[in-house]
Amino acid sequence: SQQGEEDPQALSIQEGENATMNCSYKTSINNLQWYRQNSGRGLVHLILIRSNEREKHSGRLRVTLDTSKKSSSLLITASRAADTASYFCATTSGGGADGLTFGKGTHLIIQP
Amino acid sequence: DTGVSQDPRHKITKRGQNVTFRCDPISEHNRLYWYRQTLGQGPEFLTYFQNEAQLEKSRLLSDRFSAERPKGSFSTLEIQRTEQGDSAMYLCASSDRTKGSPLHFGNGTRLTVT
């Protein structure tokens, strides 16, 4: 089963605009991670935010976490054509399961 | 650091045949994960190794699936008596630290069962 659900499923914006993707999850978490996947390739880790953090930045990326709402958002500022990819959130729970649980992803298209 | 490598990149097989995939993790990583990803979906966890010990298996991993990591380095994933529903991208990932550490993924093996 998939813990996280990204919203929207697809997003198309013009180059230079900001892109915001949201993730909701169901159970308590230790941390939440965002990954990017280019077509036909593996996933690349972007950023990790711990359950006791509310906001984190990395370059053009900004991630927020609201544990009371069980949700997170990923903001990509000043988007570039190279940002075209699928973006997934992934969570680890406090239980015995060790593997990350991924959502279905948001497919982002940056129009040049 | 040459990254996680997977072989082959693509595999086409007929239903009923057995297939085996290989994953070479980043050398200093002691944790290795297998995931399966179908079109339009996120990766689904299959199994996890810490060194050579297989510590967790998903309910998705039916009896036809077996994974090994004999010396705590590379890993193999075998699917016996393949079915069309096994068609997917099989992703391997590794990490070097505690539970929930960022994963480093390979580019996957795309399996097509005809």
Side-chain angles (χ1 to χ4, degrees):
Chain A
S1 63
Q2 300 194 290
Q3 154 95 299
E5 290 291 336
E6 288 88 346
D7 172 59
Q9 291 188 351
L11 179 62
S12 180
I13 61 173
Q14 294 294 123
E15 193 167 21
E17 294 180 339
N18 295 343
T20 299
M21 290 157 270
N22 302 296
C23 167
S24 60
Y25 57 91
K26 298 174 184 174
T27 62
S28 62
I29 60 171
N30 287 338
N31 65 57
L32 185 144
Q33 303 177 34
W34 285 89
Y35 287 78
R36 183 188 73 220
Q37 184 178 35
N38 290 88
S39 180
R41 307 295 293 257
L43 284 77
V44 175
H45 177 258
L46 295 176
I47 195 165
L48 180 154
I49 186 165
R50 302 193 186 284
S51 59
N52 61 353
E53 297 176 311
R54 292 296 168 259
E55 188 171 314
K56 203 162 183 179
H57 297 253
S58 177
R60 294 184 296 113
L61 305 180
R62 173 177 167 251
V63 169
T64 62
L65 179 64
D66 187 336
T67 53
S68 67
K69 296 181 179 179
K70 291 186 169 60
S71 68
S72 173
S73 67
L74 171 67
L75 169 68
I76 303 174
T77 60
S79 63
R80 305 167 182 170
D83 295 329
T84 294
S86 291
Y87 292 81
F88 297 91
C89 67
T91 57
T92 55
S93 69
D98 195 270
L100 287 176
T101 304
F102 288 85
K104 294 184 179 181
T106 291
H107 185 51
L108 175 65
I109 297 173
I110 309 299
Q111 309 275 6
Chain B
D1 179 359
T2 57
V4 178
S5 62
Q6 292 187 246
D7 183 70
R9 288 280 283 129
H10 303 274
K11 178 69 177 180
I12 300 174
T13 191
K14 292 184 178 180
R15 188 178 53 180
Q17 297 293 305
N18 298 346
V19 294
T20 300
F21 311 141
R22 176 178 170 126
C23 170
D24 287 89
I26 293 171
S27 58
E28 60 267 28
H29 286 183
N30 62 349
R31 293 171 170 242
L32 186 147
Y33 303 79
W34 285 98
Y35 284 82
R36 181 173 69 187
Q37 185 178 26
T38 53
L39 197 61
Q41 301 293 315
E44 294 178 297
F45 171 76
L46 292 179
T47 191
Y48 148 66
F49 291 85
Q50 182 162 314
N51 299 312
E52 66 276 7
Q54 187 173 18
L55 296 186
E56 187 179 352
K57 293 197 292 185
S58 162
R59 286 172 294 177
L60 293 175
L61 213 65
S62 75
D63 291 345
R64 296 183 298 104
F65 288 69
S66 63
E68 294 182 342
R69 193 183 183 197
K71 296 182 180 179
S73 56
F74 73 92
S75 175
T76 58
L77 177 67
E78 180 183 16
I79 308 174
Q80 296 183 326
R81 305 182 302 281
T82 52
E83 302 173 355
Q84 287 189 321
D86 297 332
S87 295
M89 174 79 87
Y90 290 85
L91 293 162
C92 175
S94 68
S95 72
D96 65 346
R97 292 184 292 154
T98 58
K99 173 178 175 176
S101 294
L103 301 185
H104 298 256
F105 280 84
N107 283 324
T109 293
R110 179 165 295 284
L111 173 66
T112 302
V113 182
T114 62

